[in-house]
Short mmCIF file of all heavy atoms in Angstrom, two decimals:
data_model
loop_
_atom_site.label_atom_id
_atom_site.label_comp_id
_atom_site.label_asym_id
_atom_site.label_seq_id
_atom_site.Cartn_x
_atom_site.Cartn_y
_atom_site.Cartn_z
N GLY R 26 119.61 130.14 102.23
CA GLY R 26 119.39 128.77 101.76
C GLY R 26 118.28 128.08 102.55
O GLY R 26 117.46 127.36 101.99
N VAL R 27 118.27 128.32 103.86
CA VAL R 27 117.22 127.74 104.71
C VAL R 27 115.87 128.37 104.33
O VAL R 27 114.87 127.67 104.17
CB VAL R 27 117.51 127.96 106.22
CG1 VAL R 27 116.38 127.40 107.07
CG2 VAL R 27 118.83 127.33 106.61
N ARG R 28 115.88 129.69 104.15
CA ARG R 28 114.63 130.38 103.79
C ARG R 28 114.07 129.87 102.46
O ARG R 28 112.88 129.59 102.34
CB ARG R 28 114.84 131.90 103.72
CG ARG R 28 115.06 132.50 105.07
CD ARG R 28 115.10 134.02 105.08
NE ARG R 28 115.67 134.42 106.36
CZ ARG R 28 116.93 134.79 106.56
NH1 ARG R 28 117.76 134.90 105.54
NH2 ARG R 28 117.37 135.09 107.77
N GLN R 29 114.96 129.73 101.47
CA GLN R 29 114.49 129.23 100.15
C GLN R 29 113.92 127.82 100.27
O GLN R 29 112.89 127.49 99.68
CB GLN R 29 115.66 129.19 99.15
CG GLN R 29 116.07 130.55 98.63
CD GLN R 29 117.50 130.53 98.07
OE1 GLN R 29 118.03 129.47 97.74
NE2 GLN R 29 118.12 131.68 97.99
N THR R 30 114.59 126.99 101.07
CA THR R 30 114.14 125.61 101.24
C THR R 30 112.76 125.57 101.91
O THR R 30 111.85 124.90 101.44
CB THR R 30 115.16 124.83 102.12
OG1 THR R 30 116.43 124.92 101.48
CG2 THR R 30 114.76 123.37 102.28
N LEU R 31 112.64 126.33 103.02
CA LEU R 31 111.37 126.30 103.74
C LEU R 31 110.24 126.88 102.88
O LEU R 31 109.11 126.37 102.91
CB LEU R 31 111.48 127.05 105.08
CG LEU R 31 112.49 126.46 106.09
CD1 LEU R 31 112.37 127.16 107.45
CD2 LEU R 31 112.34 124.96 106.28
N SER R 32 110.56 127.91 102.08
CA SER R 32 109.51 128.47 101.20
C SER R 32 109.06 127.43 100.18
O SER R 32 107.86 127.31 99.89
CB SER R 32 110.02 129.68 100.42
OG SER R 32 110.45 130.64 101.31
N ALA R 33 110.01 126.66 99.64
CA ALA R 33 109.66 125.63 98.65
C ALA R 33 108.79 124.55 99.29
O ALA R 33 107.79 124.10 98.71
CB ALA R 33 110.93 125.01 98.07
N LEU R 34 109.13 124.15 100.50
CA LEU R 34 108.36 123.10 101.19
C LEU R 34 106.98 123.62 101.60
O LEU R 34 105.98 122.91 101.53
CB LEU R 34 109.13 122.58 102.41
CG LEU R 34 110.50 121.94 102.13
CD1 LEU R 34 111.20 121.55 103.43
CD2 LEU R 34 110.39 120.71 101.21
N LYS R 35 106.96 124.90 102.01
CA LYS R 35 105.71 125.53 102.47
C LYS R 35 104.69 125.64 101.33
O LYS R 35 103.49 125.55 101.57
CB LYS R 35 106.07 126.92 103.02
CG LYS R 35 104.94 127.74 103.58
CD LYS R 35 105.49 129.13 103.93
CE LYS R 35 104.41 130.17 103.97
NZ LYS R 35 103.74 130.27 105.25
N GLU R 36 105.20 125.84 100.13
CA GLU R 36 104.29 125.90 98.97
C GLU R 36 103.53 124.58 98.84
O GLU R 36 102.41 124.53 98.37
CB GLU R 36 105.11 126.06 97.68
CG GLU R 36 105.32 127.48 97.27
CD GLU R 36 106.21 127.53 96.04
OE1 GLU R 36 106.04 126.70 95.12
OE2 GLU R 36 107.09 128.41 96.01
N PHE R 37 104.18 123.53 99.25
CA PHE R 37 103.58 122.21 99.12
C PHE R 37 102.62 121.91 100.27
O PHE R 37 101.54 121.38 100.08
CB PHE R 37 104.71 121.17 99.09
CG PHE R 37 104.24 119.86 98.62
CD1 PHE R 37 104.12 119.60 97.27
CD2 PHE R 37 103.88 118.89 99.53
CE1 PHE R 37 103.65 118.39 96.83
CE2 PHE R 37 103.40 117.67 99.10
CZ PHE R 37 103.29 117.42 97.74
N SER R 38 103.06 122.25 101.49
CA SER R 38 102.20 122.05 102.67
C SER R 38 102.48 123.20 103.63
O SER R 38 103.58 123.31 104.15
CB SER R 38 102.51 120.71 103.33
OG SER R 38 101.61 120.49 104.37
N ASP R 39 101.48 124.02 103.84
CA ASP R 39 101.71 125.28 104.54
C ASP R 39 102.15 125.09 106.00
O ASP R 39 101.66 124.20 106.69
CB ASP R 39 100.43 126.12 104.49
CG ASP R 39 100.69 127.55 104.90
OD1 ASP R 39 101.79 128.05 104.59
OD2 ASP R 39 99.81 128.16 105.53
N PHE R 40 103.10 125.90 106.43
CA PHE R 40 103.49 125.98 107.84
C PHE R 40 104.05 127.37 108.06
O PHE R 40 104.27 128.12 107.10
CB PHE R 40 104.52 124.88 108.20
CG PHE R 40 105.75 124.84 107.35
CD1 PHE R 40 106.85 125.64 107.62
CD2 PHE R 40 105.82 123.98 106.25
CE1 PHE R 40 107.99 125.59 106.83
CE2 PHE R 40 106.96 123.92 105.45
CZ PHE R 40 108.05 124.73 105.74
N GLU R 41 104.26 127.70 109.33
CA GLU R 41 104.77 129.05 109.63
C GLU R 41 106.29 129.09 109.57
O GLU R 41 106.95 128.15 110.06
CB GLU R 41 104.36 129.42 111.06
CG GLU R 41 103.19 130.38 111.11
CD GLU R 41 103.06 130.97 112.50
OE1 GLU R 41 102.46 130.27 113.34
OE2 GLU R 41 103.54 132.09 112.73
N ILE R 42 106.83 130.14 108.99
CA ILE R 42 108.28 130.32 108.99
C ILE R 42 108.62 131.42 109.99
O ILE R 42 108.01 132.50 109.96
CB ILE R 42 108.81 130.67 107.57
CG1 ILE R 42 108.50 129.50 106.62
CG2 ILE R 42 110.30 130.97 107.60
CD1 ILE R 42 108.94 129.71 105.18
N LYS R 43 109.53 131.11 110.91
CA LYS R 43 109.85 132.06 111.99
C LYS R 43 111.35 132.33 112.04
O LYS R 43 112.14 131.54 111.53
CB LYS R 43 109.38 131.50 113.33
CG LYS R 43 107.86 131.33 113.40
CD LYS R 43 107.42 130.84 114.76
CE LYS R 43 105.90 130.85 114.85
NZ LYS R 43 105.42 130.30 116.12
N GLU R 44 111.71 133.44 112.68
CA GLU R 44 113.12 133.85 112.74
C GLU R 44 113.50 134.12 114.20
O GLU R 44 112.72 134.70 114.95
CB GLU R 44 113.33 135.15 111.94
CG GLU R 44 112.87 135.11 110.49
CD GLU R 44 113.91 134.55 109.53
OE1 GLU R 44 115.08 134.37 109.94
OE2 GLU R 44 113.54 134.28 108.36
N ILE R 45 114.70 133.73 114.57
CA ILE R 45 115.25 134.08 115.90
C ILE R 45 116.53 134.89 115.64
O ILE R 45 117.44 134.40 114.96
CB ILE R 45 115.57 132.82 116.73
CG1 ILE R 45 114.30 131.96 116.93
CG2 ILE R 45 116.17 133.22 118.09
CD1 ILE R 45 114.53 130.65 117.67
N PRO R 46 116.60 136.15 116.14
CA PRO R 46 117.74 137.01 115.79
C PRO R 46 119.09 136.45 116.22
O PRO R 46 119.20 135.83 117.28
CB PRO R 46 117.45 138.31 116.55
CG PRO R 46 116.00 138.26 116.89
CD PRO R 46 115.62 136.81 117.01
N SER R 47 120.10 136.69 115.40
CA SER R 47 121.49 136.37 115.77
C SER R 47 121.78 137.10 117.08
O SER R 47 121.30 138.21 117.31
CB SER R 47 122.45 136.88 114.70
OG SER R 47 122.19 136.24 113.48
N GLY R 48 122.57 136.47 117.93
CA GLY R 48 122.91 137.09 119.21
C GLY R 48 121.97 136.69 120.33
O GLY R 48 122.24 136.95 121.51
N THR R 49 120.82 136.02 119.99
CA THR R 49 119.88 135.60 121.03
C THR R 49 120.51 134.49 121.87
O THR R 49 121.02 133.51 121.34
CB THR R 49 118.57 135.06 120.40
OG1 THR R 49 118.05 136.06 119.53
CG2 THR R 49 117.54 134.69 121.45
#
Side-chain angles (χ1 to χ4, degrees):
V27 178
R28 289 187 195 100
Q29 285 160 20
T30 303
L31 298 188
S32 302
L34 299 176
K35 182 186 157 86
E36 268 177 41
F37 195 83
S38 185
D39 194 34
F40 55 85
E41 257 194 278
I42 297 179
K43 296 183 173 177
E44 305 274 350
I45 302 176
S47 298
T49 305

